[in-house]
Amino acid sequence: MLDLLSSSLWDTVAGIKGIFLANRKIDDQIKTFITYNKGRDWRLLQAPDTDLRGDPVLCQLPFCSLHLRLQLSENPYTSGSISSKETAPGLLVATGNIGSELSYTDRRKEYNVWFLDWGGALVAMKHTSVPIWHIWVSFDEGRSWTKYSFTSTPLFVDGSLVDPGIETQIMTVFGHFSLRSEWQLVKVDYKSLFSRRCTKDDYQTWHLHNQGEPCVMGERKIYKKRKPGAQCSLGRDYSQTVVSEPCVCGQGDFDDYGYERHSNNQCIPAFWFSPSSLSKDCNIGQNYWNSTGYRRIVSNNCTDGLREKYMAKMEKCPGKAPRGLHILTADGKLVMEQGRNATFVILMEEGDPQRTNIQLDFGDGIAVSYANFSPVEDGVRHVYKSAGIFQVMAYAENSLGSDTAVLFLHVVCPVEHVHLSVPFVAIRNKDVNITAVVWPSQAGTLTYFWWFGNSTKPLITLESSISYMFTVEGMNTVTVQVAGGNTLIQDTKEIAVHEYFQSQLLSFSPNLDYHNPDIPEWRQDVGKVIKRALAEVTGIPDEQILVAVFPGLPTSAELFILPHKNTTERRKSSETDLEQVVEILFNALNQNLVQFELKPGVEVVVYVTQLTLAPLVDSSSGHSSSAMLMLLSVVFVGLAVFLIYKFKRKIPWINIYAQVQHDKEQEMIGSVSQSENAPKITLSEFTDPEELMDKELDTRVMGERQLSAEFCFTAWLKMLVFWVLGEAVTVTPGTSRALRHSDRE
């Protein structure tokens, strides 16, 4: 019940246990209080009846009292404003004032005070900034003072020291005679002031009491001290205490932590204190000491009386339902690497540990159970064999109730590699799908940071794919960072963004397959070689050509024909320019002019691949025809389909083209992308040229009928659809794929 000490300045009285002084601010006034029972009860200090001059003091409690300055001196060589010694019980030297509150302005004279010879003499030195040469000595506990000179020359006093020892009679003063002089030490010996040794006639008894109550801290004590004015030395055999006997315990000898005394003088729990917490660690079948709201004050020596009534009672531990269940990891982290020990710690604020069942579900299909709380106090270990986010749940139950705690643990596998899969070329203002392929694939929960171009803030996702629209033409940079656990890796790719472009799949002479190691670096190098060969043969600038070699066998690639720089504003004319570039490239490829030397003796020829019968749609608006003309065209095409189907064996070029289309159809599967995830074929699995020719001839005979019909029917159907839509259609087998902006729309 030391509530008075909160937000207050306090000090102890040496030599007498349980007595404290405290300054407390009440209604903007600082007042001094004193307690005789270690903070249980506090009261204002009674002012003396007379002042130093003997004049009566009119001061009535509680309107007027004595107030002391309790601050201690910051100078280690001075005694401060309050002083008490164990060797002089009941004697307290302090500065202050009498009134309604403590005042810091009424400071007439202030002194530093020291105790000599067991408190038989008090030595005082005045606080001053001018040099002094005398000190004051009192032999009657400060009632009267005598001035003594300690030096013949005035001294600026910096401080003083008293030799150690309870019976000391020597004091050292240090300072300087002038502002420029060195320090001077003056040793003052007061032995000559004590003319003799004290006898029994020089002593008197002093009763310690609390407002007339003789018992303080459960004891009645009587001290022996020197009579005021007796100038005799006490010596080493001096004994202070004459009588010390215990008192009968009264209500003032008891208090308890967490309880407050109310107007009826009864102790009840404070609003912040829960008495049930005393049995927190108590188990059923055991006993605990239950507080009655009272306990004997620490260091109080009272006996009997109310002691039995107020002492704590031994009671049996009550049964409690589990409450305040917590689960956490031993290291406090919520991320754990796959394959390592994860240690879970379970805590329970209330409950009977010996009779509470504990179940722990690790979230990966494995759970453990314990009959009581003891086995889980040191933690439970578990190893996760797979990555992911696991809900770890602890469940505590006994006959009185249950409680649950949940923790979400991220188990990760260190990420070793990330590959950014983006298309080589994209159309401006069109969404592009971008994917980050991570190895190992089962890495657990990952965070993806996406940077596009010169952006300073990334897009953050938990998914490995993102859709993005590029608005700036030219080469755009895409960077992805993948964070998993303590690992952070990244990959960067460039993508060419244009308003429109064209592309064509390329194939190579079979000898390239024998030397294809199917690795990304090789494909990048071969793509650069093909690009250089195309530029040398056709004279087309490098920036208008982009070649991407696909993974797997047979070796194939895609040729991207890009518009010239800064041609966006003159779209129509630049499309014509692009068509001219396409024509130049196709002429060179169809004439087998594009070839390169893979290594000495190995010449590789680049071809145009015939992949699809998809028509090249002309975006111009100058074509129109009458309904009759279109109807005749449909009838003619229908008749052509019948004749071709009837006399299919006599038109071998259709069969050959259809067969070529069938053989190459598998090479079209997959997007125009920089991904390295396409299925890979080893050279040992690839058929040699002789076997390939045999299989090709057999396949032609078996599939010619179906393929010829499919070709003609598909062409007829497409013409019919485009006629309905009002579009002019030109079927041109073998032309490039129409990847222009207008066509894709």
Side-chain angles (χ1 to χ4, degrees):
M1 299 182 182
L2 302 179
D3 58 330
L4 181 67
L5 296 183
S6 61
S7 67
S8 63
L9 182 66
W10 63 283
D11 198 359
T12 60
V13 177
I16 305 177
K17 61 183 180 181
I19 298 182
F20 296 89
L21 292 168
N23 282 351
R24 186 182 184 187
K25 190 173 184 180
I26 301 177
D27 297 332
D28 294 330
Q29 291 183 330
I30 298 177
K31 301 176 182 290
T32 300
F33 293 81
I34 188 171
T35 178
Y36 285 85
N37 52 11
K38 217 169 186 177
R40 181 190 184 275
D41 301 297
W42 294 86
R43 70 168 187 266
L44 294 170
L45 280 177
Q46 177 68 54
D49 296 331
T50 60
D51 59 14
L52 293 176
R53 292 184 294 271
D55 298 331
V57 176
L58 300 177
C59 185
Q60 184 178 1
L61 294 173
F63 309 104
C64 177
S65 60
L66 175 63
H67 307 284
L68 305 177
R69 299 184 184 98
L70 301 182
Q71 293 91 341
L72 299 178
S73 173
E74 296 181 358
N75 190 337
Y77 305 110
T78 59
S79 63
S81 59
I82 181 171
S83 181
S84 63
K85 296 291 181 182
E86 292 184 2
T87 57
L91 188 58
L92 178 66
V93 179
T95 59
N97 64 282
I98 297 173
S100 60
E101 63 175 326
L102 178 63
S103 172
Y104 288 91
T105 58
D106 185 14
R107 297 189 181 185
R108 299 175 184 176
K109 294 180 181 180
E110 291 193 1
Y111 294 83
N112 287 332
V113 181
W114 294 268
F115 292 81
L116 299 177
D117 191 41
W118 300 81
L122 298 178
V123 179
M125 183 177 296
K126 185 179 179 181
H127 284 297
T128 179
S129 59
V130 299
I132 59 174
W133 60 88
H134 58 266
I135 56 179
W136 301 84
V137 181
S138 174
F139 293 97
D140 57 0
E141 298 180 347
R143 293 181 178 86
S144 62
W145 296 86
T146 303
K147 182 169 62 176
Y148 291 90
S149 299
F150 65 92
T151 178
S152 58
T153 304
L155 181 70
F156 289 94
V157 177
D158 295 323
S160 59
L161 295 172
V162 176
D163 291 346
I166 58 177
E167 75 284 355
T168 182
Q169 298 172 347
I170 299 176
M171 176 181 175
T172 302
V173 179
F174 59 92
H176 48 277
F177 292 118
S178 66
L179 297 177
R180 297 182 179 180
S181 66
E182 298 179 352
W183 265 10
Q184 304 293 327
L185 297 178
V186 180
K187 194 171 186 179
V188 183
D189 191 346
Y190 293 96
K191 291 180 181 179
S192 60
L193 298 179
F194 301 98
S195 58
R196 58 186 176 82
R197 296 291 295 272
C198 294
T199 64
K200 63 180 181 180
D201 295 331
D202 296 316
Y203 297 104
Q204 68 179 11
T205 58
W206 174 70
H207 295 258
L208 174 65
H209 63 88
N210 176 12
Q211 287 186 324
E213 170 60 43
C215 291
V216 176
M217 291 293 290
E219 287 183 288
R220 185 172 66 89
K221 283 191 174 184
I222 301 177
Y223 294 90
K224 179 179 67 173
K225 65 178 181 178
R226 188 169 19 202
K227 292 180 180 179
Q231 290 186 229
C232 60
S233 61
L234 297 178
R236 291 180 176 273
D237 57 349
Y238 170 67
S239 178
Q240 299 172 329
T241 306
V242 178
V243 177
S244 178
E245 58 185 14
C247 299
V248 177
C249 293
Q251 195 174 47
D253 297 312
F254 294 88
D255 72 349
D256 202 355
Y257 173 80
Y259 289 82
E260 295 177 341
R261 182 172 283 103
H262 285 248
S263 57
N264 58 359
N265 208 27
Q266 296 295 318
C267 288
I268 63 174
F271 72 93
W272 51 266
F273 180 70
S274 175
S276 61
S277 62
L278 299 174
S279 59
K280 174 182 177 181
D281 300 325
C282 189
N283 299 323
I284 296 179
Q286 299 178 348
N287 299 322
Y288 77 103
W289 291 100
N290 187 19
S291 175
T292 60
Y294 301 86
R295 67 173 178 178
R296 192 171 62 171
I297 298 172
V298 178
S299 301
N300 188 293
N301 293 325
C302 72
T303 58
D304 302 328
L306 298 176
R307 182 177 179 182
E308 294 297 326
K309 176 182 178 181
Y310 286 157
M311 69 180 300
K313 308 299 181 182
M314 181 174 289
E315 298 181 2
K316 292 184 178 181
C317 296
K320 290 186 177 182
R323 190 184 69 83
L325 192 67
H326 302 279
I327 180 172
L328 60 154
T329 58
D331 57 2
K333 297 180 179 179
L334 298 178
V335 178
M336 182 67 59
E337 286 192 7
Q338 175 184 340
R340 293 192 176 184
N341 270 326
T343 303
F344 298 98
V345 178
I346 303 176
L347 304 176
M348 186 170 60
E349 295 180 5
E350 289 187 7
D352 181 15
Q354 299 301 323
R355 289 175 169 79
T356 299
N357 298 326
I358 300 294
Q359 297 179 10
L360 185 59
D361 188 344
F362 299 109
D364 61 349
I366 300 177
V368 293
S369 299
Y370 299 93
N372 55 64
F373 199 80
S374 300
V376 302
E377 291 180 348
D378 297 330
V380 180
R381 294 184 177 182
H382 181 67
V383 177
Y384 287 90
K385 298 181 179 179
S386 60
I389 302 178
F390 299 93
Q391 176 180 291
V392 185
M393 184 176 67
Y395 179 75
E397 182 184 24
N398 60 21
S399 58
L400 299 177
S402 62
D403 198 6
T404 304
V406 175
L407 177 146
F408 292 93
L409 184 69
H410 292 239
V411 179
V412 299
C413 178
V415 181
E416 299 182 13
H417 180 71
V418 58
H419 173 77
L420 187 58
S421 176
V422 299
F424 287 94
V425 185
I427 297 178
R428 186 169 69 92
N429 295 329
K430 288 291 186 178
D431 286 336
V432 177
N433 292 327
I434 302 173
T435 303
V437 182
V438 178
W439 190 90
S441 58
Q442 301 297 326
T445 305
L446 301 176
T447 305
Y448 298 84
F449 303 86
W450 308 87
W451 277 273
F452 296 92
N454 297 325
S455 61
T456 58
K457 292 184 178 180
L459 299 176
I460 304 175
T461 68
L462 296 178
E463 300 293 334
S464 60
S465 297
I466 190 172
S467 181
Y468 187 78
M469 180 185 296
F470 293 93
T471 59
V472 179
E473 281 194 288
M475 298 305 296
N476 286 259
T477 302
V478 181
T479 299
V480 64
Q481 285 186 333
V482 183
N486 297 324
T487 306
L488 182 66
I489 60 176
Q490 78 173 34
D491 189 21
T492 300
K493 289 290 191 303
E494 284 191 339
I495 179 173
V497 178
H498 292 278
E499 185 75 18
Y500 56 91
F501 63 90
Q502 291 197 16
S503 72
Q504 171 64 44
L505 294 183
L506 303 177
S507 59
F508 306 93
S509 53
N511 56 349
L512 181 60
D513 294 338
Y514 292 104
H515 304 280
N516 186 350
D518 201 16
I519 59 176
E521 294 78 9
W522 184 87
R523 289 191 290 271
Q524 294 175 4
D525 292 340
V526 170
K528 295 177 182 178
V529 171
I530 300 170
K531 176 180 177 180
R532 185 167 58 248
L534 286 168
E536 291 176 355
V537 172
T538 61
I540 298 173
D542 288 350
E543 62 267 15
Q544 288 190 259
I545 302 175
L546 181 63
V547 178
V549 180
F550 295 141
L553 292 174
T555 309
S556 60
E558 185 160 8
L559 169 63
F560 297 93
I561 304 97
L562 310 177
H564 195 274
K565 291 182 179 179
N566 303 323
T567 59
T568 303
E569 299 300 328
R570 46 190 185 87
R571 165 74 182 270
K572 196 65 180 179
S573 60
S574 59
E575 283 189 11
T576 304
D577 295 340
L578 188 61
E579 293 291 346
Q580 295 176 357
V581 172
V582 171
E583 184 177 356
I584 295 173
L585 287 171
F586 281 10
N587 288 335
L589 290 168
N590 290 332
Q591 297 176 24
N592 297 338
L593 299 179
V594 182
Q595 51 186 302
F596 60 92
E597 186 179 36
L598 185 64
K599 65 178 184 177
V602 179
E603 288 289 337
V604 179
V605 182
V606 185
Y607 304 99
V608 173
T609 303
Q610 307 293 340
L611 288 178
T612 179
L613 294 178
L616 175 62
V617 180
D618 191 348
S619 59
S620 62
S621 59
H623 296 278
S624 61
S625 58
S626 63
M628 183 60 70
L629 179 60
M630 294 307 300
L631 181 59
L632 293 176
S633 299
V634 172
V635 173
F636 173 75
V637 171
L639 181 60
V641 170
F642 174 78
L643 294 176
I644 291 172
Y645 181 78
K646 188 69 176 177
F647 303 100
K648 55 187 175 301
R649 297 179 181 269
K650 299 182 180 180
I651 313 177
W653 67 268
I654 294 181
N655 294 331
I656 295 175
Y657 177 76
Q659 181 59 42
V660 173
Q661 164 64 20
H662 179 72
D663 293 339
K664 291 292 183 176
E665 191 170 356
Q666 295 299 324
E667 297 179 1
M668 291 181 56
I669 299 177
S671 62
V672 183
S673 169
Q674 300 180 28
S675 173
E676 303 295 342
N677 297 321
K680 300 180 180 180
I681 306 174
T682 61
L683 291 175
S684 59
E685 298 174 348
F686 189 68
T687 309
D688 59 32
E690 292 78 5
E691 296 177 352
L692 182 62
M693 183 62 68
D694 295 338
K695 292 182 178 180
E696 181 180 357
L697 294 176
D698 295 338
T699 308
R700 288 181 184 178
V701 176
M702 296 174 61
E704 59 184 5
R705 178 178 303 176
Q706 178 182 354
L707 293 175
S708 300
E710 288 178 355
F711 165 72
C712 296
F713 180 76
T714 302
W716 176 80
L717 181 60
K718 287 183 178 181
M719 291 182 63
L720 179 61
V721 170
F722 276 92
W723 173 72
V724 174
L725 295 177
E727 296 284 350
V729 180
T730 303
V731 181
T732 310
T735 59
S736 62
R737 290 192 295 164
L739 293 178
R740 295 176 298 173
H741 190 182
S742 59
D743 298 340
R744 293 195 175 191
E745 293 178 344

